[in-house]
Amino acid sequence: MGGCRWDELGRRGLLVAVLVGGPAWATPASEGAEASGSAASVDALSGGVVDGVEPVDSGPPEGSEPLESTPSLTEGALAQALPPRIQPGDAGDAVRPTPTTSAAPTVEPAEAAAAAKKKKKKRKPGAQQEDSIGEDSTALDDTPDDEIQTVRVFGRVYAQASADEREKFARTLSINSARVGVATSLPNLEAEVSADLADSTILKDAFVRLSDDNKRFRLYGGQFKSPFLQRRLEGAWSLPIQGRGLVEDYLGDVHELGGRRLGFMGEVRLKGLWDLRISAGAFQGSRDELGARTKEDLAGRITVRPLKKMLTLGFSTYVAEALDRARRHAVAADAELRFGGFNVKGEAVTGRLPVGPFTAQLLLASWTLPVTTEWALQPVVGAEGLQLRGNVEGRGHSLLGGLNLLLGSRFRGQFQVERALRPGDEAPGLEYSLQLATRF
């Protein structure tokens, strides 16, 4: 190290010598000869007197201003070329400190924003939030605007195997759902179209939804779910059971109370009043026994959340042929309690059908138990009751239990056992079913 240091000093010294010698080489030769001649003729012991004559003062001409010294480029170059002065006692191989730079690269604001946008929140296993506002109109209400894609393509597939005691446990394989859809979300406009390729009625949702800037007022138009029965309004992916149960099948599929219909609906949401939400609309009537279209139906629903997202209370009603005979109508009250992974829902319904008055009750409880960061187990129990009172009397009931295996929020395997007495059955029957479901 010492030898290298002295070699470097030697090279710098040579550079200094070249720079210093530059002005001397630029002096004319005649001046050099004259200076050498006069220097030779002057005796060092004569005191500057040669042959009795004193030398003439070689100062500047009279009246001239003295020249100010200006720093030359050579001196600047010397200052940069000279090595630092080493004091006695300093180490010969000392290295001059270099300015430190931050190891972390500078990130532009635009790049940071893009990186933050790409970074998505990882959902916990069992988080079953819907992607479709047609399945659940509240699905994207609390999602930040920057996390909602302008155009979304979604879908789901349900494959089921079942064995029913009423059919002597004959095994049945089926595709319960093959849903595909596309949706768009703009500042004051949303729209969605979806179809189920495994259903006889392929078109499911086709509607637009207008809203103000704060999303307090909304207007729906097209085909969508009418605001009646909490069990029907909940998204299929959010439900922890296969299907929607005995009561909803009887009221919705058989007697056509609620469900998806063409119509218009208005909605008001006031977050400051326990997240109050009021929905009301007019919908196309169903067909009668002769196939003729009946007059319009009316439906409405009110919900509040007195304990934020822990407790939800709701009240809904549906009146078929509201401007005519109104032979079919119903009212329902529901409640939902969420506490951590535990969830319990209850609903009571009463009304009138063409066969007479009826009442119904629904209860469903589930508990999501994370096993790893991706997997979770979800035990489920449920019970339903249906009573017909009038010219036609009858009772129906259902008791079920099951276990779901969840992988994130995109896959689940469901095993379910149900013992039910449905309208028209002579005796209750046992049914085993296994369903694999995925969504994208």
Side-chain angles (χ1 to χ4, degrees):
M1 294 296 292
C4 295
R5 181 65 178 170
W6 288 113
D7 290 343
E8 182 180 357
L9 293 176
R11 287 194 297 270
R12 293 188 179 183
L14 178 60
L15 178 59
V16 171
V18 172
L19 294 175
V20 172
W25 297 338
T27 307
S30 58
E31 293 181 6
E34 183 180 353
S36 62
S38 61
S41 61
V42 175
D43 189 357
L45 298 178
S46 61
V49 179
V50 180
D51 297 332
V53 180
E54 293 183 2
V56 181
D57 189 5
S58 60
E62 185 177 355
S64 64
E65 295 295 332
L67 297 176
E68 296 180 2
S69 60
T70 58
S72 64
L73 295 176
T74 305
E75 293 177 358
L78 284 174
Q80 296 181 5
L82 284 174
R85 180 176 297 178
I86 302 176
Q87 301 295 335
D90 291 348
D93 56 350
V95 181
R96 282 183 294 177
T98 58
T100 59
T101 58
S102 175
T106 303
V107 181
E108 296 294 333
E111 296 178 1
K117 189 175 182 180
K118 289 181 180 179
K119 187 178 180 181
K120 294 183 178 179
K121 266 187 182 178
K122 199 172 185 180
R123 291 179 181 173
K124 296 180 181 179
Q128 305 297 311
Q129 182 180 5
E130 285 288 346
D131 295 332
S132 166
I133 58 177
E135 276 293 308
D136 184 356
S137 62
T138 66
L140 303 179
D141 283 355
D142 298 323
T143 303
D145 292 339
D146 57 352
E147 294 183 13
I148 301 177
Q149 298 178 351
T150 303
V151 178
R152 304 182 303 279
V153 178
F154 57 88
R156 71 180 189 221
V157 177
Y158 294 171
Q160 187 186 60
S162 61
D164 197 324
E165 182 182 5
R166 285 156 290 200
E167 299 177 1
K168 298 181 180 180
F169 292 107
R171 290 170 294 280
T172 303
L173 300 177
S174 62
I175 300 295
N176 283 349
S177 178
R179 184 73 59 88
V180 291
V182 61
T184 182
S185 295
L186 302 174
N188 299 102
L189 172 66
E190 294 170 294
E192 181 172 314
V193 177
S194 65
D196 198 327
L197 306 180
D199 200 330
S200 57
T201 305
I202 294 180
L203 182 63
K204 292 302 178 182
D205 295 306
F207 65 92
V208 295
R209 183 168 76 174
L210 300 174
S211 63
D212 65 339
D213 293 338
N214 297 321
K215 299 184 187 291
R216 290 177 298 182
F217 305 98
R218 285 173 171 164
L219 178 64
Y220 296 71
Q223 179 167 300
F224 52 94
K225 288 182 179 180
S226 57
F228 176 66
L229 280 184
Q230 190 271 343
R231 179 67 63 89
R232 165 64 76 172
L233 294 174
E234 186 169 2
W237 189 265
S238 303
L239 273 175
I241 60 174
Q242 302 176 35
R244 296 187 181 274
L246 177 151
V247 173
E248 206 287 329
D249 290 345
Y250 186 72
L251 298 182
D253 296 342
V254 178
H255 291 284
E256 298 185 283
L257 285 177
R260 286 181 167 89
R261 293 180 180 273
L262 284 170
F264 294 92
M265 184 177 74
E267 184 177 82
V268 178
R269 185 187 185 191
L270 303 175
K271 290 185 178 181
L273 297 176
W274 287 355
D275 199 9
L276 172 66
R277 189 189 301 266
I278 303 174
S279 306
F283 300 88
Q284 186 181 59
S286 57
R287 296 186 180 274
D288 60 14
E289 296 83 358
L290 301 177
R293 181 74 66 181
T294 61
K295 292 188 177 180
E296 288 73 18
D297 301 348
L298 299 180
R301 178 172 170 81
I302 299 175
T303 60
V304 292
R305 290 180 174 179
L307 298 179
K308 293 185 178 180
K309 294 185 178 181
M310 289 183 59
L311 178 63
T312 303
L313 303 176
F315 177 85
S316 60
T317 183
Y318 195 93
V319 181
E321 303 177 65
L323 303 180
D324 198 357
R325 294 171 293 178
R327 294 183 305 165
R328 295 172 292 134
H329 55 82
V331 294
D334 59 89
E336 179 179 5
L337 177 64
R338 295 176 179 268
F339 187 76
F342 180 72
N343 181 277
V344 60
K345 306 168 188 177
E347 190 166 13
V349 192
T350 185
R352 186 178 184 85
L353 299 173
V355 296
F358 78 94
T359 55
Q361 307 80 33
L362 303 90
L363 183 64
L364 184 63
S366 64
W367 193 6
T368 304
L369 304 171
V371 177
T372 66
T373 56
E374 293 288 339
W375 295 90
L377 292 175
Q378 187 182 53
V380 182
V381 293
E384 297 182 47
L386 174 65
Q387 303 84 33
L388 299 176
R389 300 183 178 92
N391 296 332
V392 178
E393 293 188 358
R395 291 180 179 272
H397 58 79
S398 169
L399 182 64
L400 66 84
L403 181 65
N404 301 333
L405 178 64
L406 310 177
L407 174 59
S409 62
R410 296 295 173 183
F411 172 83
R412 65 185 183 183
Q414 299 172 279
F415 177 73
Q416 182 175 296
V417 181
E418 181 185 30
R419 182 176 178 82
L421 176 65
R422 299 178 179 275
D425 291 346
E426 296 180 357
L430 195 63
E431 182 181 12
Y432 300 92
S433 58
L434 176 66
Q435 180 171 273
L436 301 181
T438 185
R439 67 174 180 172
F440 52 88

